[in-house]
């Protein structure tokens, strides 16, 4: 298998999974459907298993690493500004597509059986803000509340910065745990071609056209919106602002984007995202150790901008609720400010719930879209991760922290885990 590139292995897994899914559905092969479902479930579960320690230690170490970065406050400010700008562009694309295609117009789908998802602590802005702070540290980890884990990590990292030398043993432990988790997670990532076959195969086998037909226009709109961001918005920013060839960028970043597509997890893709950002795109390691983990939990152009914009218009049209200019501006505001609500693994369902509740639209509308959410989540997550790489490249270029030699060199192979963790600073080491 080492003779076949990791990207090609993922592609082969995707094709094999789709073929097996079609076979299982067409031939009604129940055992094959079950097998594909279990393979995909186990792969995702393995990714999720590493999430709590990975997020906590990555955030702690990335915040602490800011002391090694000259002009850290300026870098953080620029990163946030570009998160804001790219999110506004993405939500504008989503709203524009929604107004052009009218995804809910003429849709004859029964809303009688639709149920609002049980998302306690995510329905309103007050719930969201108060939900950031955990009432119990242990619960934040056992219930996999990524946003609360991020909050704990930021507080601990900031405290370590303030304490100084006395915090070094704690930071050393955090770096060690991060190294162990990234090594173990890399082993899981190497199983991605098999996991891909299971996840894609299960989706193909489970969701037939009869179920998807009423939602086809919305699904096409989400894919079109994400592709416009991926193939138009990001390339223009890279070429005009970052002075980076879009072809070079996507050639180097492709393994992370591809893994994001099949795994549907920005956090699960984090080690690979950080690795291509540093080793293939030449972003300064100390800056990347802050920007990439931060982006993986807050930068969600697919889940928090394009999707809620289109989905809110869809729900409003299905329930015959007119939307005015004020509502469209509110969607844009929620999409930009509420991006952190998606937090890497909680998915776009939370973001959509937040958007609908803010607009006063029926939360049952979320239930209408759950059937195709896994299919939409693939392109949404790929868009998320691409944006999480684009912004550090743009900022690194503006600050003279982009290594041209690394950027323009032939892409390093990704067949082995890195020799050292990518969030601990220090000089890059070859794979």
């Amino acid at each position: 298998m080492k003779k076949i590139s990791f990207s090609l292995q993922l592609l082969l897994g995707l094709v094999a999974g789709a073929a097996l899914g079609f076979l299982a559905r067409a031939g009604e092969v129940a055992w094959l459907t079950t097998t594909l479902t279990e393979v995909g479930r186990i792969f995702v579960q393995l990714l999720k298993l590493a999430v709590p320690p990975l997020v906590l230690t990555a955030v702690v170490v990335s915040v602490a690493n800011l002391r090694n970065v000259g002009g850290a406050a300026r870098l953080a400010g620029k990163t946030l500004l570009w998160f804001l700008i790219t999110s506004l562009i993405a939500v504008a694309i989503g709203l524009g597509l929604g107004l052009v295609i009218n995804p809910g117009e003429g849709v004859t789908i029964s809303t009688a059986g639709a149920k609002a998802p049980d998302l306690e602590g995510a329905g309103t802005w007050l719930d969201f803000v108060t939900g950031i702070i955990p009432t119990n540290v242990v619960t934040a980890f056992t219930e996999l509340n990524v946003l609360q884990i991020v909050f704990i990590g930021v507080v601990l990292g900031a405290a370590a910065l303030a304490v100084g030398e006395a915090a070094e043993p704690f930071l050393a432990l955090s770096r060690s745990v991060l190294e162990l988790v990234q090594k173990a997670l890399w082993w899981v990532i190497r199983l991605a071609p098999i996991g891909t076959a299971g996840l894609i195969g299960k989706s193909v086998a489970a969701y037939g056209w009869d179920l998807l037909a009423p939602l086809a226009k919305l699904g096409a709109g989400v894919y079109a919106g994400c592709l416009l961001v991926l193939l138009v918005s990001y390339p223009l920013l890279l070429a005009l602002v970052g002075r980076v060839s879009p072809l070079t960028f996507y050639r180097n970043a492709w393994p992370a984007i591809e893994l994001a597509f099949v795994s549907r997890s920005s956090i699960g893709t984090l080690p690979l995202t950080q690795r291509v950002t540093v080793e293939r795109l030449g972003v300064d390691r100390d800056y990347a150790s802050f920007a990439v983990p931060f982006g993986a939990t807050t930068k969600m152009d697919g889940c928090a901008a394009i999707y809620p914009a289109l989905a809110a218009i869809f729900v409003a049209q299905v329930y015959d609720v007119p939307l005015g200019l004020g509502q469209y501006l509110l969607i844009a505001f929620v999409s930009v400010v509420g991006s952190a609500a998606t937090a890497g693994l909680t998915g776009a369902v939370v973001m959509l719930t937040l958007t609908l509740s803010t607009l006063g639209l029926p939360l049952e509308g979320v239930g209408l879209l759950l059937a195709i959410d896994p299919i939409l989540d693939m392109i949404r997550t790929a868009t998320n991760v691409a944006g999480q790489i684009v912004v550090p490249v743009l900022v690194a270029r503006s600050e003279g922290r982009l290594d041209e030699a690394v950027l323009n060199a032939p892409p390093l192979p990704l067949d082995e885990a890195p020799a050292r963790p990518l969030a601990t600073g220090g000089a890059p080491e070859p794979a």
Side-chain angles (χ1 to χ4, degrees), residues 221-247:
V222 171
Y223 269 77
C226 289
L227 289 174
L228 282 173
V229 171
L230 286 169
L231 303 180
V232 179
S233 174
Y234 290 161
L236 284 175
L237 289 173
L238 286 166
L240 299 178
V241 179
R243 303 189 305 282
V244 171
S245 164
L247 291 178

Side-chain angles (χ1 to χ4, degrees), residues 77-98:
K78 279 191 174 183
T79 303
L80 285 171
L81 179 61
W82 275 110
F83 281 2
L84 172 67
I85 292 171
T86 50
S87 293
L88 280 172
I89 294 172
V91 74
I93 289 173
L95 288 172
L97 273 174

Side-chain angles (χ1 to χ4, degrees), residues 271-347:
L272 190 57
T273 304
Q274 191 153 343
R275 189 170 178 190
V276 300
T277 302
V278 173
E279 294 185 358
R280 288 185 161 202
L281 291 165
V283 175
D284 176 75
R285 184 176 295 257
D286 286 329
Y287 167 60
S289 71
F290 159 75
V292 176
F294 184 54
T297 54
T298 58
K299 176 62 179 164
M300 306 284 166
D301 285 348
C303 291
I306 297 168
Y307 176 67
L310 279 162
I313 293 173
F314 171 84
V315 171
Q317 291 176 345
V318 167
Y319 283 92
D320 198 25
V321 178
L323 296 178
L325 178 61
Q327 282 77 27
Y328 293 126
L329 292 175
L330 195 57
I331 291 173
F333 174 78
V334 173
S335 298
V336 173
V337 178
S339 292
T342 52
L345 268 174
T346 55

